Amino acid sequence: NVSHRINRLSFGEDFPGQVNPLDGVERMSPLGPAVARYFIKVVPTVYRSLRGKALDSNQFATTEYFKAVSEEDRSFQVPGIHFAFDITPLRVKLTEKRGRTFVSFFVRCAATLGGIFTVAGMIDKMLYSSQRLIMKKLEIGKAS
């Protein structure tokens, strides 16, 4: 029986917003012997807080494989729980930034409204000019 529970698995110190996908994972093997494999990709991560403090840690992603082992397969597969780690050569940099202020929200709203009024004015000008041109052609009888 390879029923198991992973209470906590992490690589380095935790930082805000970090998710460890195997925390609290529980797998049951009701049919007896089985093979549980976890393929884990570890990504080095640097987290920089608002105060400028850098924290070297790691994040990881996982893929699971769980299969019951039949009597015929026992000579080829050994029941158990296996972890395979792969460390990526790339580093992720996470930098915490402040949210937008009320002033920047107000400026963005004003810019959006100004853009709407500008486009509406251009459309109004085109419609007015087209209407005047058509009216002039109708007056001199050149409209077809």
Side-chain angles (χ1 to χ4, degrees):
N1 187 352
V2 293
S3 296
H4 61 281
R5 176 178 170 79
I6 302 171
N7 291 321
R8 176 152 169 71
L9 181 65
S10 67
F11 300 91
E13 293 182 49
D14 287 346
F15 52 85
Q18 182 177 5
V19 176
N20 295 324
L22 288 179
D23 285 356
V25 168
E26 190 169 343
R27 296 291 175 255
M28 296 296 175
S29 178
L31 301 175
V35 173
R37 290 194 180 118
Y38 295 93
F39 302 97
I40 300 171
K41 284 199 174 272
V42 180
V43 181
T45 304
V46 176
Y47 175 80
R48 188 171 303 278
S49 67
L50 277 175
R51 296 181 179 142
K53 181 183 172 195
L55 173 67
D56 287 321
S57 188
N58 296 286
Q59 300 180 77
F60 69 95
T62 184
T63 304
E64 302 176 38
Y65 172 80
F66 192 85
K67 181 182 176 193
V69 177
S70 64
E71 290 290 330
E72 300 85 38
D73 292 339
R74 283 195 188 167
S75 59
F76 301 110
Q77 288 185 324
V78 177
I81 302 169
H82 308 279
F83 293 90
F85 300 96
D86 183 24
I87 299 175
T88 61
L90 303 174
R91 173 174 276 186
V92 173
K93 292 182 181 181
L94 298 174
T95 305
E96 192 175 33
K97 293 185 179 180
R98 292 197 187 277
R100 303 215 185 268
T101 63
F102 178 73
V103 173
S104 67
F105 171 74
F106 180 73
V107 168
R108 285 177 174 260
C109 287
T112 302
L113 286 173
I116 290 171
F117 279 110
T118 301
V119 171
M122 291 168 56
I123 292 172
D124 181 53
K125 177 71 174 172
M126 287 188 310
L127 290 175
Y128 178 73
S129 297
S130 299
Q131 179 190 11
R132 283 190 62 201
L133 184 64
I134 291 172
M135 293 304 282
K136 276 187 181 180
K137 285 190 174 192
L138 285 175
E139 284 178 8
I140 58 174
K142 287 194 172 184
S144 50

